[in-house]
Amino acid sequence: MFLKEYDVIVVGAGHAGSEAAAAAANMGCATLLVTMNLQNIAQMSCNPAMGGIAKGQIVREIDALGGYSGIVTDNTAIQFKMLNKSKGPAMWSPRAQSDRMRFAEEWRLKLENTHNVDFYQEMINGLIIENEEIKGVKTSLGLTIKAKTVVLTNGTFLNGLIHIGEKQFGGGRAGERAATGITKELVEVGFASGRMKTGTPPRVDGRSLDFSKMIIQPGDDYPEKFSYSDETKPLKEQRPCHMSYTSQLVHDLLKEGFDRSPMFNGRIKSIGPRYCPSIEDKINRFADKDRHQLFVEPEGWNTVEYYINGFSTSLPEDVQFKALRSVVGFENVKFFRPGYAIEYDYFPPTQLKHTLETKLVSGLYFAGQINGTTGYEEAASQGLMAGINAALKVQERDEFILNRDEAYIGVLIDDLITKGTEEPYRMFTSRAEYRTLLRQDNADFRLTPKGFELGIASEKRMKRMEEKQHLSDNFINFFRDTSVKPDEINPILESKNSSLVKQQDKMFKIFARPNIIMEDMKKVAAVSEYINEHDLDNEVLEQTEIQIKYSGYIAKEKLNADKLQRLDYVKIPKDFDYSKLKSLSTEAKLKLSEIQPRTISQASRVSGVSPSDISVLLVFLGR
């Protein structure tokens, strides 16, 4: 069956695996996507949503590079919201509720229509490694499939163990078996492994809920979309979510099951996600709070199944049911399935290079939860980068790495391989020191030229981005060059309680005032005429407004990034022997020897390395 050698084999078809396979195939590589169940490609294992704080920026970045996540999300969304609009644009984060069944279907159809992708359904339980190089994979049926590179995207399936109260059974997801064999082989080769935990809430029957007792959570009045391409459209109709709250009674009922909770009786020994804790963990950790929010999210356009966001739990099913029936609006709730926790193997990501290739085995890449991350978006971005770099390795082209000032994806990967993680890693805007540069609105400006050069972003995408940039730059120059008279602008300024002008002034200067927005400037005849004459859309108007109003902050952050980037040009020799530098601290020697940073900039971010250690390195390297 498998006489030919594949360029890239991707193991696992979740969000990471799907993006990896698409990227490698679109770059011209013969790609095989192997999964234990072809019906579950890109399954939304947890909540039926994409994006959110910082995660929305990642989806936009994936799309700008030529990945599929943004397009699939737009085509299957049932609601769209731009979060954090009350804050500055660096914090704006798109989020969409998705139709779970249509999302998986759309991903499968996208992959089936991608040239160079082959599919195979079976468990991969071994790797073929010779002389520290990957040569292929072994299946549970005893087949061997040869490959030049392999990308592992096993999600929560590696030795997965599901917990519901005192019951536990092997599985990678509800109703699906765990994957075995790979961890044992990798540990024998020399990899370090660990265990992590994640959880999911009950799914319930919407026909048994009383939504009139809950708070409605509608989408945006004027919804946007994720993809920069013109093959998707914003939603014209949306499904609402709802919100309810737990209560002290609910907490007391949940506490009755704490003695049977695997979290508290020692059955679960691994660490779960800090920023998405289970309901029992929230009650235990935040004992002073008498209620917690619950978001009631529809699973699709037509289904009656609902996801109870905020009620993730591994308590016994009878305790879950009794407590949830005491939540307002849930008095008659019927379960589709109870919540559960799952433990799984991961490999500390400090064992990877920036390309996500392993340091120990050439041609072997890890992406997604195998690296200790949590979230579809984090996984998808790693899959994209691993797929790209696996293809580049096969094609003997230069590796592709995004820096921290270029993308949230760059921040994510640099954090993982430089600092590692001992708990499921989740992206936040606060993790990015250059978040004013890394906004969701300019991901195409930042990354589409790179995607086009790689061969995964189309020429049509590139031309669309260049046209948008051209229109934005010209409109900004219009504001710089055009003056406005006091009698034209003062009525607008007066209505906004802004200082009046006594003589004509450049519109750029007036627009830069904090309380003046594009809708105000449109009231100036010259601005309105310019917009109509050049047929400017909302994307161009938003880009222009942000560039003008935040020009000072953007310039300052760019200067800081350029200064720090100089340290990225100071390369550290491969396999550098830190033990010979007597002035380095003992901790720095140990950490730097383990991480083997590529540059002084990366070395400065390693936990335990002090500024004085960096000075010692700079002196030694002649800087």
Side-chain angles (χ1 to χ4, degrees), residues 178-189:
T180 56
I182 288 179
T183 298
K184 184 172 179 289
E185 280 202 6
L186 289 173
V187 169
E188 286 172 356
V189 170

Side-chain angles (χ1 to χ4, degrees), residues 35 45 56 126 159 258 278 299 316 398 420 426 459 464 507 513 516 544 588 597:
T35 176
S45 307
N159 293 322
F258 276 16
S278 64
E299 297 260 324
D398 290 342
R426 180 179 177 179
E459 186 175 358
R464 182 177 168 84
M507 283 201 279
R513 294 186 184 188
I516 303 300
T544 302

Side-chain angles (χ1 to χ4, degrees), residues 106 200 252-253 274:
E106 179 81 2
T200 192
D252 291 340
L253 290 170
R274 178 192 302 261

Side-chain angles (χ1 to χ4, degrees), residues 420-580:
T421 186
E422 293 178 356
E423 61 184 49
Y425 178 102
R426 180 179 177 179
M427 179 53 74
F428 288 102
T429 49
S430 58
R431 294 192 191 272
E433 57 270 49
Y434 306 119
R435 55 186 172 273
T436 306
L437 302 179
L438 309 182
R439 306 181 311 277
Q440 55 83 32
D441 61 89
N442 69 351
D444 54 344
F445 290 176
R446 291 185 277 122
L447 300 176
T448 296
K450 296 178 187 292
F452 178 67
E453 193 177 331
L454 287 165
I456 50 175
S458 66
E459 186 175 358
K460 185 180 177 184
R461 277 286 190 105
M462 187 66 182
K463 285 181 178 175
R464 182 177 168 84
M465 183 280 296
E466 287 174 336
E467 175 68 8
K468 176 183 165 186
Q469 193 162 37
H470 176 71
L471 291 171
S472 298
D473 290 346
N474 284 350
F475 199 23
I476 291 167
N477 288 333
F478 165 80
F479 279 101
R480 286 188 196 281
D481 300 338
T482 309
S483 298
V484 63
K485 293 176 182 176
D487 60 339
E488 283 184 277
I489 197 66
N490 277 340
I492 299 166
L493 297 177
E494 190 173 8
S495 70
K496 299 301 291 273
N497 293 321
S498 191
S499 302
L500 305 183
V501 296
K502 294 178 181 175
Q503 57 191 35
Q504 71 175 23
D505 207 347
K506 295 293 184 191
M507 283 201 279
F508 186 98
K509 188 176 174 184
I510 290 167
F511 198 1
R513 294 186 184 188
N515 56 340
I516 303 300
I517 60 175
M518 181 65 80
E519 290 304 311
D520 299 320
M521 298 307 295
K522 281 182 181 178
K523 294 171 186 173
V524 177
V527 175
S528 179
E529 287 168 11
Y530 187 98
I531 292 170
N532 292 330
E533 182 185 341
H534 294 86
D535 194 23
L536 302 184
D537 61 20
N538 284 332
E539 276 189 37
V540 173
L541 298 183
E542 181 183 80
Q543 190 59 225
T544 302
E545 181 168 9
I546 291 169
Q547 291 284 352
I548 290 174
K549 297 190 76 61
Y550 295 88
S551 55
Y553 297 104
I554 292 167
K556 185 177 179 183
E557 200 156 279
K558 187 78 176 73
L559 186 65
N560 288 340
D562 291 342
K563 281 181 184 176
L564 286 172
Q565 205 172 26
R566 290 172 202 160
L567 293 178
D568 264 328
Y569 294 110
V570 186
K571 306 291 183 188
I572 300 173
K574 193 177 178 183
D575 300 322
F576 184 76
D577 184 5
Y578 293 95
S579 63
K580 65 186 180 186

Side-chain angles (χ1 to χ4, degrees), residues 222-410:
Y222 303 101
E224 298 180 40
K225 62 192 187 84
F226 273 104
S227 181
Y228 293 99
S229 75
D230 56 5
E231 63 182 279
T232 67
K233 303 293 180 195
L235 287 170
K236 290 187 175 171
E237 59 176 301
Q238 303 180 72
R239 279 203 74 177
C241 297
H242 291 80
M243 186 172 72
S244 191
Y245 288 91
T246 62
S247 63
Q248 196 57 56
L249 170 61
V250 174
H251 297 180
D252 291 340
L253 290 170
L254 289 167
K255 285 176 185 175
E256 288 178 11
F258 276 16
D259 62 327
R260 292 187 286 153
S261 165
M263 270 192 59
F264 300 132
N265 64 18
R267 283 179 182 271
I268 292 179
K269 297 179 173 64
S270 46
I271 300 170
R274 178 192 302 261
Y275 303 104
C276 188
S278 64
I279 188 67
E280 56 264 40
D281 196 19
K282 281 192 273 192
I283 293 168
N284 196 46
R285 258 203 278 168
F286 308 109
D288 56 317
K289 291 191 178 291
D290 57 10
R291 69 175 191 169
H292 295 282
Q293 290 176 327
L294 299 180
F295 293 96
V296 187
E297 302 174 345
E299 297 260 324
W301 281 112
N302 302 311
T303 181
V304 296
E305 187 174 357
Y306 276 76
Y307 176 94
I308 313 306
N309 197 338
F311 205 85
S312 176
T313 180
S314 57
L315 285 165
E317 64 275 16
D318 59 313
V319 175
Q320 296 182 34
F321 181 69
K322 191 176 176 184
L324 201 53
R325 278 214 157 186
S326 297
V327 173
V328 172
F330 286 76
E331 293 83 1
N332 299 303
V333 70
K334 293 178 182 177
F335 274 29
F336 271 26
R337 75 166 193 237
Y340 63 88
I342 181 165
E343 286 186 288
Y344 55 93
D345 293 339
Y346 86 105
F347 292 84
T350 50
Q351 301 171 100
L352 304 175
K353 302 174 185 176
H354 270 90
T355 57
L356 298 180
E357 184 181 23
T358 65
K359 294 173 182 175
L360 283 176
V361 179
S362 176
L364 178 63
Y365 297 77
F366 291 172
Q369 283 173 288
I370 193 172
N371 290 336
T373 59
T374 180
Y376 309 142
E377 304 82 2
E378 290 89 341
S381 67
Q382 292 171 71
L384 179 74
M385 295 298 284
I388 289 170
N389 279 301
L392 291 172
K393 189 177 185 76
V394 169
Q395 295 164 354
E396 297 182 350
R397 293 162 65 190
D398 290 342
E399 61 190 20
F400 178 62
I401 294 167
L402 290 169
N403 294 324
R404 295 181 72 92
D405 63 333
E406 291 179 309
Y408 271 92
I409 297 172

